[in-house]
Amino acid sequence: VELCGLLIDEKNQPISEAKVILKKNGFTIDKVYSNERGLFLFNDVKNGTYSFLIEKHGYEKKEILDVAFIDCKKVFCFHVKSKKMLFEEIDTLFEKKRYKSGLSLVDCIFSNSNSNLYYLCCLYKSFGYYKMGNFNEAFIELNKVKSFGKKLCGVDYSVLEKKLEGE
């Protein structure tokens, strides 16, 4: 039996080339990639309860747990937020001084290591930890960015670095 689904973003646009991992009882059963229309298909799936893990650079890393599959005529549709939407939500949380919630959302962003997005996430984490008073974690995140350079996206973080180093 085939299990098929559709991945769309917050604007109901298809998400292509996203990795979709099918799991049962915590174990990976299969993985596929969505096509240009956001569709994915798993073959030879038995009725049961499954979980999905969805990953694509620049989108939230999303896990959907305990999905019952008993009807081969059903198409699953999953909404996955883009990095733009996630960063808007993080900025709002940080503005409201809800740093812990913002940091949790940063962790939901799937990025390839050594990408601009990865380092931007490190900077957000550094800022959140700093505002929470967790200077050690803030410094660790900031050090990840040092290898990339002290400036990213036109923002100079040397002031934060000096404060973290106690100067």
Side-chain angles (χ1 to χ4, degrees):
V1 178
E2 295 176 336
L3 184 156
C4 59
L6 172 67
L7 301 179
I8 55 176
D9 65 14
E10 64 275 355
K11 294 180 181 177
N12 292 327
Q13 296 300 308
I15 301 172
S16 64
E17 299 177 16
K19 181 169 41 171
V20 182
I21 300 170
L22 181 67
K23 294 183 172 190
K24 185 166 182 71
N25 299 323
F27 295 99
T28 298
I29 303 298
D30 199 359
K31 73 176 177 182
V32 296
Y33 289 85
S34 59
N35 67 15
E36 65 279 354
R37 293 178 293 174
L39 297 169
F40 63 88
L41 176 71
F42 291 99
N43 292 304
D44 301 320
V45 178
K46 294 179 173 59
N47 289 343
T49 302
Y50 295 91
S51 296
F52 296 86
L53 179 62
I54 301 165
E55 299 177 334
K56 180 171 179 167
H57 180 78
Y59 288 82
E60 75 179 308
K61 181 178 182 177
K62 187 164 192 166
E63 187 166 24
I64 299 102
L65 302 172
D66 302 326
V67 176
F69 176 68
I70 54 173
D71 183 356
C72 63
K73 295 176 184 146
K74 182 175 183 178
V75 175
F76 295 96
C77 183
F78 301 128
H79 285 87
V80 182
K81 295 179 184 175
S82 68
K83 65 182 176 190
K84 181 178 186 266
M85 176 63 74
L86 289 167
F87 279 119
E88 287 174 4
E89 290 179 20
I90 294 165
D91 287 341
T92 299
L93 289 168
F94 280 2
E95 287 170 8
K96 294 179 178 179
K97 299 182 180 355
R98 295 180 54 202
Y99 303 112
K100 190 172 183 179
S101 297
L103 287 170
S104 294
L105 208 48
V106 172
D107 286 334
C108 291
I109 298 173
F110 185 78
S111 64
N112 300 321
S113 59
N114 295 321
S115 67
N116 288 350
L117 180 57
Y118 170 80
Y119 291 111
L120 183 60
C121 289
C122 291
L123 288 173
Y124 266 81
K125 286 181 182 180
S126 179
F127 176 78
Y129 286 131
Y130 175 77
K131 294 303 265 184
M132 289 172 47
N134 189 337
F135 302 119
N136 187 45
E137 288 296 322
F139 192 70
I140 289 169
E141 293 298 328
L142 192 60
N143 275 332
K144 292 176 185 176
V145 179
K146 272 186 170 181
S147 63
F148 187 68
K150 292 184 181 178
K151 289 188 179 185
L152 182 67
C153 300
V155 179
D156 186 355
Y157 282 82
S158 61
V159 174
L160 175 60
E161 182 180 23
K162 287 178 184 174
K163 287 184 179 183
L164 292 173
E165 291 175 346
E167 293 180 0

